[in-house]
Amino acid sequence: MAAHLSGPAWVMALEQTGARGRRGRAWSMPAGNFAATLVQQPTAPAGEMALYSFVAALALHDALGAAGGPSARLALKWPNDVLLNGGKVAGILLESSGRGQEVSALAIGIGVNLAAAPPPEPDASFAPVSLRGETGMSVTPEEFLDLLAPAFAAWEIRFQAEGFAPIRDAFLARAARLGETIVARTGTAELTGRFDGIDASGALILTTASGRQAVPAAEVFF
């Protein structure tokens, strides 16, 4: 749809039969859960596109906090998950289209377990949870979009006006296990070290026995 849109647009699915998560994994969507994609024609350089996952994470944190009330203990898990009371309640997936370094469309996909948690995956780092199951709050996908869309717009305005630094600071203020020992698994290695933040490119900063390392992409385990 991106080529035919005149500007940014949210596209929501009330049912998904072929959904996917990171690295092509299956994404299960029980009835009543939230699945939407924000489609944009980006103006930022291609190298900055991945930073929109942090903008989306902050917007999700705000929206889930508003929907779940005081019983919702939320944390952001680098790079693209939201935890609720210690379980995974939401995920983010960015995809782009274009040629070479020129990005013509950016799709920011977001899935939230509003009504029910899908079955856990055997190799998942966190068991899935749902907003209703953890807080007792029932929110429809349409109601949640009315919380998420303005929250995203507010953080995006700040990102465009002030750059990544305030987004990074806000993310780290909400980050799970900052300053603690974590495990980061890449496609070729497993690194154990202290989670010391994220750098200007969004990479994980890990202090290991062999020194400080920047990890651009990995699966994180606590």
Side-chain angles (χ1 to χ4, degrees):
M1 297 171 63
H4 306 290
L5 296 173
S6 59
W10 283 94
V11 182
M12 188 166 66
L14 297 179
E15 180 181 6
Q16 285 186 314
T17 57
R20 65 182 184 277
R22 290 184 72 223
R23 299 179 180 176
R25 292 176 180 151
W27 178 272
S28 177
M29 182 187 162
N33 283 357
F34 179 84
T37 297
L38 174 59
V39 186
Q40 295 184 318
Q41 294 77 27
T43 57
E48 296 181 13
M49 291 298 99
L51 301 180
Y52 271 91
S53 67
F54 297 97
V55 176
L58 290 169
L60 270 172
H61 191 284
D62 287 354
L64 284 164
S71 62
R73 295 185 297 107
L74 295 163
L76 301 179
K77 174 179 170 280
W78 183 92
N80 57 2
D81 291 336
V82 183
L83 305 181
L84 170 61
N85 298 345
K88 180 176 176 178
V89 70
I92 301 161
L93 180 66
L94 270 60
E95 294 188 339
S96 62
S97 62
R99 292 184 177 181
Q101 292 298 308
E102 184 177 341
V103 177
S104 59
L106 176 67
I108 304 169
I110 295 174
V112 184
N113 298 330
L114 292 179
E121 297 179 5
D123 61 342
S125 53
F126 291 89
V129 298
S130 71
L131 183 71
R132 181 186 296 166
E134 295 298 313
T135 69
M137 302 298 289
S138 294
V139 179
T140 68
E142 293 87 351
E143 290 169 337
F144 190 76
L145 183 58
D146 284 341
L147 297 172
L148 179 62
F152 187 96
W155 283 110
E156 184 181 28
I157 287 170
R158 189 166 185 191
F159 178 42
Q160 292 176 344
E162 303 177 45
F164 183 55
I167 303 300
R168 177 178 59 189
D169 291 345
F171 184 94
L172 290 174
R174 297 159 176 79
R177 303 296 178 93
L178 182 64
E180 299 182 22
T181 299
I182 63 173
V183 176
R185 295 177 184 167
T186 69
T188 58
E190 179 174 297
L191 303 170
T192 300
R194 188 177 65 237
F195 173 24
D196 280 338
I198 55 179
D199 68 14
S201 70
L204 176 74
I205 299 173
L206 202 63
T207 301
T208 70
S210 57
R212 197 174 174 93
Q213 299 190 43
V215 183
E219 192 83 12
V220 168
F221 295 82
F222 297 160

